[in-house]
Amino acid sequence: MIKEILLCKYGEIVLKGANRKYFEDMLCREMKKRARAYGDFDIYRAQSTIYIEPKDGEADVDGMFTAASKVFGIVAISRAAVCEKSMEDIARVTAEYIPAFLEGKRTFKVEAKRSDKSFALDSMEIARDIGGVVLESCPRIKVDVRNPDVVVKVEIREFGAYVSAGQFKGAGGMPVGTNGRGLLLLSGGIDSPVAGYMMAKRGVRLDAVHFESFPYTSERAREKVLDLAKIVSEYAGDIYVHIVSLTHIQEELVKHCEEDYFTLLLRRYMMTIAERVAKDKDCSALITGESLGQVASQTMQALGVTDACVNMPVFRPCIGMDKEEIVQISRKIGAFDTSIQPYEDCCTVFTPKHPKTKPELEKVLVQENKLPFAELVEEALGTMYTVHISAEY
Ligand code: ATP
Ligand code: MG
């Protein structure tokens, strides 16, 4: 019988200094929370590693592996087999467990690490002996110490010995919650879920605000946005989505303001309302999916005009990315197929034919002042309601 365990390594760099224990506890708690859906696991940490050890044969190690690979702050995950701290048992487990990982590979080397210095053999001796075991159990494979296809690892640690072959990339970044709270302006598009994912990766806990314009936007469009929030929550944890109606504001804009300015004016309303929501929900920054030059409202001048109405940092992690690069991340996090479902967004109703690409703030304000801005903002805030998206990992 082989018992498999997951070893999740966290980046030393982000965990230095006095905050180290705080980060480590946070990561452990996160893993425990995610493990609940996959059975009974012992989860503990030592030597910059979180150990996830199934307590019985029922636990779903594959499922837990996928869940662990979405935890920010983890740089690498290996699946390892647990051995007793004796060469006999390490050899037995290697012969049984390792061959499956070497199928189709041509070369390997063994790396041994002995943090328990009381173990009888040193690293060189362990590597040599276990290398022999691998060669015996996989007759076609060859040793290549310089550029092997697979590295077989033997680790003699405090709590036991482990053998593994190959390492998987973790989600990287910093544990969610270690870098404050931000409010994501979440539309149904491709970019904003990616923007949320990227800031969560830097440790930001997310709230989201979504603007709708019922009946110009549909129930289904709102559901799509909640589906997207659910996908982002697999990485970012629970998200509260605050939904605000812009229907009246948009109708007033159409009635009273020059068409070319619709989008810009709408964006200033959105940012102002978002800032109010952010302050109310203890968020210290706004996050949008804007990318420089992607559309008329995302030129440098237009972004200047939208930013002029807010007094908190606005993070735009996609700002320097091509659409292709954004799509790549969208696919990686599993959001793309949902994002491309064809439902309307409030930005796409009443769009001007010739939007201003080089707007001047004074001229925008002339248009904006045709309406009771503050009053409309209050009214929109009055329509807000919140949906709690609970993360399923
Ligand atoms: P996305 O793919 O995220 O929809 P986009 O390229 O379609 O972006 P815009 O529609 O101009 O760009 O929106 C720019 C940003 O404004 C979005 O990334 C999002 O952060 C925010 N935004 C747009 N529409 C909404 C909305 N209905 N609710 C909340 N935020 C929105
Ligand atoms: Mg959009």
Side-chain angles (χ1 to χ4, degrees):
M1 250 299 271
I2 299 279
K3 177 166 167 181
E4 216 182 17
I5 167 175
L6 303 177
L7 302 175
C8 307
K9 323 227 162 161
Y10 38 89
E12 289 283 345
I13 315 118
V14 298
L15 299 178
K16 59 181 176 231
N19 283 332
R20 185 184 176 106
K21 192 173 170 308
Y22 165 72
F23 284 154
E24 288 175 330
D25 287 346
M26 206 151 194
L27 276 176
C28 252
R29 260 205 312 277
E30 188 61 34
M31 288 297 182
K32 284 180 183 163
K33 197 159 80 187
R34 293 181 187 229
R36 276 185 226 135
Y38 299 99
D40 259 348
F41 291 89
D42 257 334
I43 298 179
Y44 49 93
R45 62 184 163 78
Q47 296 158 331
S48 298
T49 303
I50 293 176
Y51 292 66
I52 304 179
E53 188 172 348
K55 282 191 188 164
D56 51 40
E58 304 280 284
D60 174 5
V61 179
D62 287 336
M64 187 57 212
F65 173 77
T66 307
S69 67
K70 294 178 181 173
V71 174
F72 292 130
I74 299 294
V75 292
I77 306 179
S78 46
R79 303 178 69 130
V82 183
C83 326
E84 285 163 28
K85 282 203 223 177
S86 73
M87 283 308 283
E88 294 70 46
D89 201 50
I90 296 170
R92 173 190 72 83
V93 170
T94 301
E96 196 177 326
Y97 180 70
I98 294 299
F101 290 90
L102 302 185
E103 251 166 54
K105 310 286 191 212
R106 285 171 309 128
T107 57
F108 81 105
K109 77 167 171 180
V110 176
E111 264 178 24
K113 211 166 115 189
R114 185 184 60 138
S115 46
D116 174 1
K117 301 291 179 206
S118 70
F119 194 73
L121 275 61
D122 69 18
S123 307
M124 293 283 280
E125 292 165 332
I126 300 168
R128 184 198 58 211
D129 286 9
I130 298 304
V133 173
V134 173
L135 286 170
E136 250 172 54
S137 45
C138 309
R140 274 189 304 276
I141 203 156
K142 294 198 167 54
V143 175
D144 179 348
V145 289
R146 277 214 305 248
N147 190 23
D149 291 343
V150 189
V151 177
V152 173
K153 267 199 185 146
V154 181
E155 298 179 74
I156 318 288
R157 288 169 170 253
E158 189 183 341
F159 300 115
Y162 307 93
V163 291
S164 60
Q167 230 182 23
F168 302 87
K169 246 173 103 89
M174 300 178 75
V176 169
T178 57
N179 259 331
R181 209 177 174 95
L183 181 70
L184 170 66
L185 281 81
L186 182 61
S187 69
I190 295 168
D191 309 330
S192 49
V194 169
Y197 162 85
M198 288 174 75
M199 294 316 296
K201 184 173 181 189
R202 294 310 301 161
V204 176
R205 188 164 292 290
L206 301 178
D207 268 48
V209 61
H210 174 65
F211 298 103
E212 59 178 16
S213 203
F214 199 74
Y216 308 104
T217 60
S218 64
E219 192 92 29
R220 197 56 201 89
R222 178 196 312 152
E223 257 148 44
K224 171 187 173 183
V225 169
L226 297 177
D227 289 345
L228 287 170
K230 189 96 181 165
I231 293 165
V232 175
S233 77
E234 289 173 28
Y235 299 86
D238 287 17
I239 300 176
Y240 290 90
V241 183
H242 312 291
I243 299 178
V244 175
S245 169
L246 292 183
T247 309
H248 190 215
I249 291 176
Q250 289 195 279
E251 286 171 345
E252 289 299 297
L253 285 173
V254 171
K255 257 188 257 163
H256 301 283
C257 306
E258 221 176 274
E259 179 183 314
D260 296 358
Y261 288 94
F262 283 178
T263 310
L264 270 172
L265 293 169
L266 186 65
R267 297 206 59 77
R268 283 172 59 86
Y269 275 102
M270 283 186 174
M271 296 299 267
T272 305
I273 295 167
E275 185 179 35
R276 285 283 298 277
V277 176
K279 284 187 175 148
D280 189 45
K281 305 297 171 194
D282 275 334
C283 298
S284 321
L286 302 181
I287 301 161
T288 81
E290 288 157 313
S291 160
L292 193 64
Q294 196 187 78
V295 290
S297 61
Q298 296 173 25
T299 64
M300 211 179 271
Q301 293 83 349
L303 293 173
V305 164
T306 17
D307 271 6
C309 62
V310 287
N311 277 313
M312 59 168 59
V314 181
F315 294 138
R316 299 182 168 94
C318 303
I319 197 73
M321 293 166 75
D322 294 344
K323 196 73 186 183
E324 229 1 81
E325 295 170 301
I326 301 173
V327 164
Q328 213 177 351
I329 298 178
S330 171
R331 284 187 195 280
K332 185 178 85 177
I333 65 174
F336 187 72
D337 291 341
T338 305
S339 283
I340 59 173
Q341 288 169 10
Y343 296 105
E344 63 298 323
D345 182 67
C346 66
C347 285
T348 57
V349 292
F350 310 125
T351 41
K353 282 185 213 65
H354 307 288
K356 291 275 179 230
T357 54
K358 290 189 179 168
E360 291 162 49
L361 185 57
E362 299 74 50
K363 291 185 181 165
V364 174
L365 289 175
V366 168
Q367 294 300 316
E368 191 168 281
N369 290 334
K370 292 181 175 180
L371 291 175
F373 189 85
E375 211 173 283
L376 286 168
V377 166
E378 288 313 318
E379 186 196 306
L381 282 165
T383 68
M384 185 174 102
Y385 65 96
T386 299
V387 180
H388 176 202
I389 301 295
S390 79
E392 277 166 37
Y393 308 106

